[in-house]
Amino acid sequence: MPLHMMLKKKHLSAGRVPLILFLCQLISALDVPLDLVQPPTITQQSPKDYIIDPRENIVIQCEAKGKPPPSFSWTRNGTHFDIDKDPLVTMKPGSGTLVINIMSEGKAETYEGVYQCTARNERGAAISNNIVVRPSRSPLWTKERLEPIVLRNGQSLVLPCRPPIGLPPAIIFWMDNSFQRLPQSERVSQGLNGDLYFSNVLPEDTREDYICYARFNHTQTIQQKQPISLKVISVDELNDTIAANLSDTELYGAKSSKERPPTFLTPEGNESHKEELRGNVLSLECIAEGLPTPIIYWIKEDGTLPVNRTFYRNFRKTLQIIRVSEADSGNYQCIAKNTLGAVHHTISVTVKAAPYWIVAPQNLVLSPGENGTLICRANGNPKPRISWLTNGVPIEIALDDPSRKIDGDTIIFSNVQESSSAVYQCNASNKYGYLLANAFVNVLAEPPRILTSANTLYQVISNRPALLDCAFFGSPMPTIEWFKGTKGGALHEDIYVLHDNGTLEIPVAQKDSTGTYTCVAWNKLGMAKNEVHLEIKDPTRIIKQPEYAVVQRGSKVSFECKVKHDHTLIPTIMWLKDNGELPNDERFSTDKDHLVVSDVKDDDGGTYTCTANTTLDSASASAVLRVVDVPNPPFDLELTNQLDKSVQLTWTPGDDNNSPITKFIIEYEDAMHEAGLWRHQAEVSGTQTTAQLKLSPYVNYSFRVMAENSIGRSMPSEASEQYLTKAAEPDQNPTAVEGLGTEPDNLVITWKPLNGFQSNGPGLQYKVSWRQKDGDDEWTSVVVANVSKYIVSGTPTFVPYLIKVQALNDVGFAPEPAAVMGHSGEDLPMVAPGNVRVNVVNSTLAEVHWDPVPPKSVRGHLQGYRIYYWKAQSSSKRNRRHIEKKILTFQGSKTHGMLPGLQPYSHYALNVRVVNGKGEGPASTDRGFHTPEGVPSAPSSLKIVNPTLDSLTLEWDPPSHPNGILTEYILKYQPINSTHELGPLVDLKIPANKTRWTLKNLNFSTRYKFYLYAQTSVGSGSQITEEAITTVDEGKKAMASRQVDIATQGWFIGLMCAVALLILILLIVCFIRRNKGGKYPVKEKEDAHADPEIQPMKEDDGTFGEYSDAEDHKPLKKGSRTPSDRTVKKEDSDDSLVDYGEGVNGQFNEDGSFIGQYSGKKEKEPAEGNESSEAPSPVNAMNSFV
């Protein structure tokens, strides 16, 4: 049994007949190698309908292959064409192509006819199609005289073209003398037959050069028809022309331009028929006339127009369906409509079909004794007739072959022999055309051969199919098997797919699929094998894709695209925009991973795709760029519904630039009153294009509109037309009306005037009215110009008035205004406060009381009371000097207040005055008072002089602020040892008249710390401190020098090193503790031995609760840290009334708490004695401790 029949056995369960047909096709699909004997095969031929250029040589192609090489012959018009007898005809060597040399002599028309080529060798003969050779023609228009055409405005017109019949048919178009195409529209258009149709003519259609041109593409020539002249005249022109020959009743009226319903210019009637061949373009045309110009619509009865194949041309007057099929047959209806009616036309379409293949016969290769079939199956409308030929001869008259049997469209071969080899032709024909196919039967006995190149390398991406080719030939048909590597059995279809053409398919290739594969082909005559190699590569992937971007026009955008790929493959990165190349613009720049677009424009919006290509695969990712911007300005502003106090504004929105408009802002300009100034009028939703606007009288309005989206606001639109509203009386009065006198005998009335927009009309003025509030006087009125102030003179002092200001213009008055109250001018108060009393609260604070003045004596708005106070003299000294007066103001009707910041042990005087808007009234009688004693300040300085072995002398200056009579000084001192520990404290009381004191019986060479206080009968003041050292005993010093120098002893050196190490460790520990907030030893010792009077005080003492550990408060280690003259000075207290108020005119609350302000006003007056100072605070005392 033949091997290819064994393959059939494997699949017979699927159905024998279809399988046989399939295998026949498979066998015939095998290309016979050209080194093997085979019948001829036509490889190239001229088209069936061959139109030639008569100006060039005629070349009729016919190429074929075969073994042995075929010989060629031709027939012309059904008879043998002997090329040897015609010197102008030659055949190309090794080819059947004819060359007819008509350029030297001869005419193309001589060689018109039907040509057929035959290629023949010992195995059979193949024939070409019937080639109809015709020369192209481009004839001229016949001469004709065209009369000018004169039509009335609105009539319809058809300008005929009627081009000469050429080969191939000409392309028609209309132009003028300047070779400019005539404009076409729904009203004027060219039909499929080339005529120019006017649905209605207009005066602008008048011209003398309507020219129809015919272009013959084959010969590249253009022929021109004679120009046609058209004149369109109006009714008036027509009446003037014929008035001399017609009576008045015969003159044309408006009838010529009267509107009319549509009628069809083409096609005629209500129905027509159209026939088209399958696969062609179906073109249906309807052109109508009418006034107004009709619009054309298309429908298919009992069906719908096919999607994606239907197109409208020529302003919808032509319906085209491409690749038409039998299913497109049916009735199509065109409808022409205008405002006066509609007209219908039905076109019945029949689709016929020239023959087309269902199964074309294929070459068949068989080995001796095998069976096979040739199938020729075609369809068409009408159904084509099938006829067979063998070697170009009708099979009915050909030599009989016992191995073949004809069964309609099939030839069955059985037990073929080498003599069965032949070429069979199948012809399928109907009235619309024919099909001719050659298919040979080649009987061969050949061992297998593999046609795929040896050691071919296949590279495949992992997880994708791998197809390993094994193209083969053999007769009988070989069996194909595949093996992997050097060991193992044949590959089976449970994992692999074995295709009948020899290809091995690995559906999902993995890394372990890499290796060498062997294809083996064998039949009964032999065996062949071939090795191929497979490599699996990693796929190319985009690991960072470009992202959707929304950017504003003019900005920059960047897209990122990172690629991962097999290391043996080199990818190329390409960026596309909308599936095309990037614009050739320097604004677009790319690098390895990025695409950057600078200065983004509207046209840059779209889809950007990053594509990574290797030799094996590709990967791509896309992102959309949306370019947004503020909207374009609205346009076409129009004002409608214009009323006295409203108007409707309509506009057309500009482009939203890809960001929806959210609102429109409307502004107005008053060209009469505020030219160039635009003010807000209204806002409306972004979906509106109309706004009803409220208007004011007597305004010359212009409007403009701005659009706003999420990006921002557009530029303003162009201004609308101006609209002047009618004048009317004012509808509002001035605001901010006030009456306030500037002099005791006047009343100044002021107001905020109306602006021009509020005036509502020309001649804006104001009616000012006033009268006393508490009197029975009539209103006094005056009309003033457009000002903002009016002064009433001769008024009583500070009298309440009722005031009105009313607007008016040339049309009338504004509504009656409400009255407001004002006062005439103020004068200075006449009476001083009486019964002034002072209550001294303590040494620094006093409370003052007074009686209010009568309200009428104020003669103005009571603003408050003002206290002047000053230090008159000291109780202890009589030296006079200029002093400073201080002022405190208490607003409103208060009758008491507190005076803070007084100096202890001082004599003060004060007076009280009433204050109104004009100024101060007379002062009350001066009232004096004394402040009691307080504690003194620290002594001004302290220094130690004349130190000896056992004594120290202290000198000091009295306190700068004794704040009373000093009773004594208190001196305290204590020793400080070498480790800074404080010794016992010693107290001394020193008379107040002393400023020098010597301490005796002190220890020699010892440091002492001293604390000095001044004291009055109230108590002790702040301290001043100092340190000093007694001198060294010289005798003991000399004795010590005579002792053995222990510093040179070894034991002492060792001891000192140990001590130094211990000190270093202690310093490290102290440093760590100090960084953690702890106290160092010196501080602890000071805390343990400090003077009790400077120890931290408790909260119930009202003093500070912690002693500062600042460096300045530590005992001195090496000498005093005081200035070189060993004097410590305490600065004067910087307390002032600023601590109680906010500057000038300080105030107090009702309960005496301070709300006042200190005044810097000074009055120089003589004073006795020295100024005393207030008692220092505990803070000052602590700060003075050095």
Side-chain angles (χ1 to χ4, degrees), residues 34 101 112 195 218 232 313 371 428 456 484 588 692 741 766 795 818 855 867 911 915 932 936 945 1121 1154 1164:
L34 288 176
N101 185 6
E112 283 190 65
D195 293 347
H218 209 83
V232 179
R313 312 292 186 196
N371 304 328
T456 300
K484 182 180 179 184
F588 291 78
Q692 195 72 25
Y766 300 100
T795 61
I867 300 177
N911 58 50
V915 182
V945 297
R1121 296 189 182 183
F1154 179 73
K1164 300 296 183 177

Side-chain angles (χ1 to χ4, degrees), residues 687-707:
T687 60
Q688 291 184 231
T689 57
T690 300
Q692 195 72 25
L693 306 177
K694 294 183 179 180
L695 307 180
S696 294
Y698 198 58
V699 176
N700 196 5
Y701 281 101
S702 291
F703 298 98
R704 68 182 187 185
V705 183
M706 291 171 285

Side-chain angles (χ1 to χ4, degrees), residues 530-566:
N530 185 39
E531 288 187 350
V532 296
H533 307 282
L534 176 63
E535 291 182 356
I536 306 301
K537 304 292 184 179
D538 291 327
T540 302
R541 295 185 294 115
I542 296 179
I543 58 176
K544 177 65 175 177
Q545 298 186 358
E547 297 179 348
Y548 173 79
V550 179
V551 299
Q552 188 171 356
R553 181 169 50 197
S555 59
K556 178 189 290 187
V557 65
S558 175
F559 292 106
E560 185 177 10
C561 180
K562 290 189 176 179
V563 179
K564 185 177 181 181
H565 57 91
D566 191 280

Side-chain angles (χ1 to χ4, degrees), residues 730-786:
D731 49 20
Q732 57 182 305
N733 285 301
T735 57
V737 177
E738 291 183 348
L740 184 66
T742 58
E743 298 295 337
D745 61 348
N746 75 2
L747 172 65
V748 179
I749 301 173
T750 60
W751 60 91
K752 181 180 179 182
L754 304 181
N755 58 36
F757 181 81
Q758 298 167 325
S759 66
N760 286 5
L764 177 63
Q765 294 178 301
Y766 300 100
K767 179 183 178 183
V768 184
S769 305
W770 68 91
R771 71 176 177 86
Q772 289 190 22
K773 178 177 179 295
D774 299 326
D776 297 330
D777 298 342
E778 295 293 330
W779 287 91
T780 303
S781 299
V782 64
V783 176
V784 299
N786 188 11

Side-chain angles (χ1 to χ4, degrees), residues 141-146 210-212 224-228:
W141 254 287
T142 58
K143 294 292 185 180
E144 58 181 333
R145 181 177 179 182
L146 301 176
Y210 283 95
I211 305 175
C212 181
Q224 173 184 333
K225 185 182 176 74
Q226 291 292 324
I228 302 174

Side-chain angles (χ1 to χ4, degrees), residues 306-347:
V307 181
N308 300 327
R309 294 192 295 119
T310 301
F311 300 92
Y312 297 99
R313 312 292 186 196
N314 196 21
F315 308 98
R316 297 184 65 91
K317 299 175 186 179
T318 301
L319 171 70
Q320 285 188 344
I321 300 177
I322 61 174
R323 300 188 304 277
V324 69
S325 67
E326 289 87 341
D328 296 319
S329 296
N331 292 331
Y332 292 78
Q333 191 175 94
C334 61
I335 306 161
K337 288 184 180 180
N338 67 10
T339 56
L340 298 183
V343 63
H344 305 256
H345 184 91
T346 301
I347 305 175

